[in-house]
Amino acid sequence: MIWESNASLAPYNTFGIDAKAERLVHLESEADVAAYALHPDGLAKQTLLLSGGSNMLLCADVPGTTARIAWTGRTVVRETEDHVWLEVAAGESWHETVRFSVQAHWGGLQNLSLIPGLVGAAPVQNIGAYGVELADSFDSLRFFDWTRQEIRTMDAADCGFGYRDSVFKKQLKGKGVILSVTFRLTKRDHRFQTSYGAIQDALASTGVAPSVESISDAVMAIRQSKLPDPKVLGNSGSFFKNPALPAQEVTALAELHPGLPQYPQADGTIKVAAGWLIEHAGWKGKRVGNVGMHTQQALVLVNYGGASGPELWEHAQRVQASVFEQFGIQLEPEVNLIG
Ligand code: EPU
């Protein structure tokens, strides 16, 4: 367990914001987590947990202790003729884990290729892309409860997965840390989700049949064409959620704006594309100082270099107010604001 004081968090958040942690502890094993939970300062309960930093906006320096999830490892814990159960430590890279499974020809995670971040954070917001969510391949996870100092195994029902949502954003927020996630992946009879237009186009253009590998490659190509690489341009993917609205409200809105993309949900609401709203409010590709909404995907807030957290948040609020003014829709951040 390594401790640092007044440490820059710039290498640990994908916006590249240079906020400082008063103390930063690197937890490199599950034993470190257990030891840290017993630390005399009793810090674990108030700790900011730092995972891949790909879904957070640091608006200020972080007082107290920030704990970095840095334990790794991947193990096949069970196997049948049809399935494999892969347990992955919270500190493993999400994308490397997806590619590891793709290279083994195991199905389930291929649509989720190239999502930044670490495995332990994936269940927190039930990451999703191209018609697939983490919940679809999820078996269980192990959660270390700070107060009880014990490990709990949780299945999908315990996790309460929803759209970019789970129990870890609600009742269990701040109560502990996810140690590992077990995925149930298919070894044969894979179920492919290729209904997303761009995936079909990519497969058609190469003439390759859908497979675990070809879908992963197609998703990577699509993401690379639309979404900025955080190593090149600081960002945290979609900054806002796609709002789910009552059907009546969307029908009225679509009369005024026939191009508005709509996604009917099982609960009767209709999700509308926040990226479209932001683009049509005039913010796509518009740069204000060091910040702006991306040229290829208006839902992505980018740091063109040197922007502070407050500067990025100010811009997000500007965009939010403008969308509200033009469409009467209140966008909600998908990204966690810290400080
Ligand atoms: N659109 C525009 N202008 C834009 C951006 C999008 O008109 O600038 C339109 C598109 O033409 C399309 C619709 O909005 O008709 C949806 O766009 P897209 O397919 O790019 O997906 P999204 O709804 O903007 C969501 C996820 C992404 C995920 C993609 C693909 C959320 C908040 N975002 O974006 O997830 O990769 O679908 O499945 O649900 C993330 O969460 O960080 C993320 C990148």
Side-chain angles (χ1 to χ4, degrees), residues 125 128-131 163-164 196 223 226-227 236-238 240-242 261 263 273 275-276 279-280 284 296-299 334:
Q125 67 153 1
Y130 309 108
Y163 168 58
R164 297 292 192 273
Y196 197 88
R223 291 187 74 100
K226 276 213 245 183
L227 296 167
S236 66
S238 302
F240 297 104
K241 293 186 208 176
N242 285 329
Y263 311 97
W276 188 96
E279 177 174 347
H280 288 80
K284 187 172 184 170
Q296 304 296 318
Q297 225 301 5
L299 194 47
E334 195 217 284

Side-chain angles (χ1 to χ4, degrees), residues 2 9 24 29 69 77 98-99 102 110 126 183 220 241 262 330 334:
I2 300 162
L9 294 176
L24 176 63
S29 63
I69 292 167
V77 289
V98 172
R99 289 304 290 178
V102 166
Q110 59 278 359
N126 183 23
F183 301 95
M220 286 174 66
K241 293 186 208 176
Q262 305 176 24
Q330 187 68 43
E334 195 217 284

